[in-house]
Amino acid sequence: MSEQQPSKAAPKPAAVMESQPWAGELPENLRTQFSEDVPETSQYAGQPYVVCKPDAAVAVLRYLKEREQFDALVDITAVDYPSREARFELIYIVYSHARNQRLRVKTSIGAASRPRTLTAVFTGANWLEREVYDMFGIVFDGHPGLHRILLPEEWTGFPLRKDSSILGMDQAWVKDNLGIESGQ
Amino acid sequence: MADTFLDAQELVLNMGPQHPSTHGVLRVILKLDGEKVLGTECVIGYLHRGVEKIAEHRTYAQFAPYVDRMDYISAVSNGLGYCLAVEKLLNAEAPPRARAVRVILTELNRIASHLLWLGTHALDIGAITPLFYTFREREEILAIFENYCGARLTTHAFRIGGLQYETYSGFEEQVKRFCDTFPAHVDEYETLLTGNPIWRDRLIGVGLLTAEQCKDYGVTGPVLRAAGVAWDLRKAQPYSGYEQYEFEVPTRSGGDTYDRYLVRIEEMRQSVRIIRQAVERIPEGAIMAKGMKVIKPPVGEAYVSIEAPKGELGYFIVSDGSIHPYRVRVRPPSFLNLQALEVMAKGSLVADVVAIIGTIDIVLGEVDR
């Protein structure tokens, strides 16, 4: 159907999971330590998260590791919101064995900004940051060997960006290297 | 550098991607000084299918079968993690009966995964016999899966909100029969391997990884537990009713390949314990939560992880309130565990690299996604 039926009621707005304030000693400490660099400490569905300024991310994670016992790196990933001014949201997940608690550290960065690498704090950040670069094209400053990890080195485009079509893969690469026309 | 000698001749050797002991398409570039490994570099991505991108173009329910194709050795665990993550977003929970059946099938899958690991790991090291034994028992588990949902490997056994299928008649008996016979088979594997001098010589002291290194690299699962950290998500943050069952988290302190072998052997015994308790008292009742016709979570995000056979398998899902996930991130245990190969293999012998790749227990389908 190309035309909307006028008789139909307007679609219900999507439900929103409200973020709750996150109380406790740890968010308190983070706010006193970093003041305006950590503008938000909240939780979604019982899962705490911290929003920080891009330049403070590595310092916050180092503080969490060295002072608050968040000693294990769980994941680094990103989400693309093309309509936002700072289009990428970088998400670091760390875990504390002593507290049995997981924490997300989120920061919003623009397409042109180069966040500092986390490899100096957690060695395991190496491959995770390479994957973020591979999929989103986010360049980490100071990374020991930032090049593609899952896709071929000569591949063009960053597939997990929202403006990258699922069918619009690097057809030229496929033809040159695999000798086939893509069936897509 | 103390590792090199004046007459050292550095040799670069390419291992894989087509190599039987890399368990798939993993390419390892070895930098050698004679028999000694100076460094390794992994080249991965040969099996990349863009699972996370596909997810954004499917509905929540449509994406569920895709997760089975990541760690295809333990498809049931993958499915459980995904279902739990979406249920978290929906603020829903599977009914008790579904949770018990999920635990039984997931633990059976853990045993199947460990059996495949044990058989192929022993084969890599030169012990051909265990493979035939482990595949014999694995077959019994796959038969249970096949009876339950029709598939042996990529099972798609669970649905968001519970289960699609009731258990078949004779399910309990078949599972109990397996639990009765299986521990004796584990003893059998142990007579072949645990005290075997060749096995011990090849494994003890090989591929050392300390608890600190594990945490630094984000290594989880049996590899972490063999380094002395009694951390298992089934105990630390129980899900799907694991808190009701009695079991132990086996640990070892050495952090070498032999310890990882012993941890996995003991985990199989503990899984049998869990299955036995669960199958004795599967609650009656519904197998599907209410209101799962249209899966449309509220705007928000959640990270949910489970203890998969290989480590912490996490799903980070962002919802924009539509029927399609806005972003699905899979935190694959194999990917992070494989990264630690560089420290485990450094300074060892070429032959040990095969043992170390085997002991990490990777599945390239999950590393590359």
Side-chain angles (χ1 to χ4, degrees):
Chain A
M1 275 198 303
S2 57
E3 237 178 295
Q4 286 280 324
Q5 297 284 333
S7 57
K8 277 221 175 125
K12 268 196 294 181
V16 176
M17 192 192 282
E18 293 294 336
S19 62
Q20 309 284 327
W22 174 37
E25 204 182 315
L26 177 60
E28 212 52 56
N29 289 350
L30 278 167
R31 275 198 300 269
T32 41
Q33 187 79 21
F34 292 99
S35 55
E36 71 269 21
D37 278 344
V38 176
E40 194 187 347
T41 51
S42 320
Q43 55 182 344
Y44 265 134
Q47 301 184 341
Y49 66 89
V50 171
V51 178
C52 69
K53 296 269 172 66
D55 295 338
V58 172
V60 168
L61 286 154
R62 188 185 288 278
Y63 169 81
L64 283 169
K65 184 189 183 190
E66 288 168 3
R67 305 282 294 280
E68 301 285 354
Q69 301 171 301
F70 282 85
D71 50 353
L73 175 68
V74 178
D75 203 0
I76 301 173
T77 189
V79 185
D80 183 16
Y81 298 97
S83 55
R84 291 187 189 173
E85 197 183 327
R87 82 179 269 185
F88 297 115
E89 189 164 73
L90 257 184
I91 293 146
Y92 301 89
I93 308 176
V94 284
Y95 177 81
S96 163
H97 283 269
R99 298 164 180 260
N100 187 20
Q101 190 181 28
R102 207 175 273 121
L103 181 62
R104 287 204 289 278
V105 177
K106 309 203 284 184
T107 181
S108 290
I109 56 167
S113 59
R114 295 160 67 100
R116 189 85 202 138
T117 175
L118 192 65
T119 45
V121 185
F122 290 105
T123 321
N126 188 332
W127 281 21
L128 291 168
E129 287 181 346
R130 275 176 67 190
E131 193 183 336
V132 171
Y133 165 71
D134 198 359
M135 296 294 150
F136 291 92
I138 298 172
V139 177
F140 290 90
D141 226 3
H143 189 285
L146 194 71
H147 55 100
R148 289 192 184 269
I149 185 162
L150 294 179
L151 292 172
E153 208 60 64
E154 321 78 42
W155 194 267
T156 53
F158 301 105
L160 281 181
R161 287 186 177 188
K162 286 284 174 184
D163 48 17
S164 160
S165 157
I166 193 166
L167 302 179
M169 60 172 174
D170 191 342
Q171 308 284 6
W173 187 92
V174 173
K175 191 153 190 279
D176 290 351
N177 289 275
L178 307 178
I180 52 168
E181 293 288 345
S182 166
Q184 304 239 23
Chain B
M1 216 164 86
D3 302 339
T4 52
F5 305 99
L6 284 176
D7 61 345
Q9 283 207 323
E10 206 177 282
L11 173 76
V12 175
L13 186 71
N14 186 54
M15 181 176 167
Q18 313 298 340
H19 188 285
S21 74
T22 58
H23 300 261
V25 277
L26 167 69
R27 178 174 163 216
V28 186
I29 301 167
L30 299 166
K31 227 164 81 180
L32 303 173
D33 171 18
E35 281 282 303
K36 200 168 165 190
V37 178
L38 300 177
T40 60
E41 192 192 333
C42 290
V43 181
I44 59 173
Y46 293 96
L47 221 53
H48 179 64
R49 292 147 292 170
V51 170
E52 294 175 9
K53 184 73 178 177
I54 292 171
E56 296 171 11
H57 294 260
R58 298 285 180 275
T59 67
Y60 285 91
Q62 282 174 339
F63 182 60
Y66 285 90
V67 300
D68 290 358
R69 274 108 184 132
M70 290 187 296
D71 181 358
Y72 39 80
I73 308 299
S74 52
V76 180
S77 290
N78 285 259
L80 178 65
Y82 177 69
C83 290
L84 288 172
V86 180
E87 286 161 18
K88 176 88 183 169
L89 278 173
L90 290 164
N91 198 18
E93 195 177 25
R97 183 174 174 81
R99 292 209 296 269
V101 174
R102 280 179 172 185
V103 166
I104 294 168
L105 293 176
T106 311
E107 289 306 314
L108 283 172
N109 200 180
R110 184 183 313 277
I111 295 175
S113 170
H114 282 2
L115 285 176
L116 190 124
W117 160 79
L118 179 61
T120 52
H121 184 42
L123 188 66
D124 289 345
I125 289 170
I128 297 168
T129 320
L131 182 78
F132 300 105
Y133 290 115
T134 58
F135 271 58
R136 180 186 62 191
E137 275 75 67
R138 183 167 171 266
E139 187 59 33
E140 289 179 34
I141 297 175
L142 297 187
I144 295 174
F145 290 163
E146 192 174 6
N147 286 342
Y148 175 68
C149 61
R152 288 156 54 87
L153 282 175
T154 47
T155 49
H156 193 208
F158 308 141
R159 299 295 185 274
I160 297 159
L163 308 169
Q164 177 158 28
Y165 312 113
E166 241 321 328
T167 54
Y168 56 92
S169 81
F171 171 75
E172 283 92 339
E173 288 69 37
Q174 199 175 0
V175 172
K176 277 179 198 162
R177 204 161 49 240
F178 175 78
C179 290
D180 290 340
T181 54
F182 183 65
H185 291 307
V186 182
D187 296 340
E188 215 170 53
Y189 314 143
E190 287 218 76
T191 38
L192 285 171
L193 296 172
T194 306
N196 183 326
I198 303 172
W199 182 251
R200 291 170 65 96
D201 277 355
R202 288 296 307 275
L203 299 195
I204 291 177
V206 168
L208 287 169
L209 201 65
T210 65
E212 277 64 40
Q213 284 169 326
C214 284
K215 289 174 185 171
D216 193 30
Y217 273 90
V219 170
T220 50
V223 184
L224 177 66
R225 289 190 282 275
V229 183
W231 187 74
D232 186 316
L233 274 166
R234 293 173 294 171
K235 279 271 192 230
Q237 299 180 344
Y239 52 89
S240 199
Y242 270 106
E243 65 278 2
Q244 306 163 37
Y245 309 112
E246 265 179 45
F247 65 99
E248 274 145 40
V249 178
T251 55
R252 303 281 298 177
S253 54
D256 64 0
T257 304
Y258 189 68
D259 279 354
R260 289 187 277 269
Y261 155 76
L262 290 175
V263 163
R264 289 196 180 99
I265 287 280
E266 186 54 30
E267 273 183 26
M268 290 199 272
R269 296 185 196 276
Q270 296 297 331
S271 289
V272 171
R273 240 176 108 185
I274 298 171
I275 297 167
R276 222 177 253 180
Q277 293 168 56
V279 79
E280 283 299 334
R281 43 186 165 101
I282 305 179
E284 292 298 322
I287 53 167
M288 195 71 187
K290 289 207 165 57
M292 291 292 156
K293 288 278 185 283
V294 178
I295 293 153
K296 209 173 165 185
V299 178
E301 57 182 48
Y303 176 85
V304 174
S305 60
I306 64 158
E307 187 68 35
K310 289 158 183 78
E312 176 179 352
L313 169 71
Y315 289 90
F316 176 68
I317 305 183
V318 180
S319 162
D320 62 353
S322 72
I323 56 170
H324 305 280
Y326 188 76
R327 167 101 171 93
V328 176
R329 158 72 183 165
V330 184
R331 188 259 186 218
S334 295
F335 181 84
L336 282 114
N337 291 4
L338 179 61
Q339 192 179 181
L341 179 72
E342 59 185 34
V343 278
M344 291 162 90
K346 198 169 184 176
S348 65
L349 302 176
V350 185
D352 292 340
V353 173
V354 170
I356 297 168
I357 293 172
T359 190
I360 314 174
D361 191 14
I362 49 161
V363 163
L364 270 303
E366 186 182 65
V367 173
D368 296 344
R369 282 156 289 136

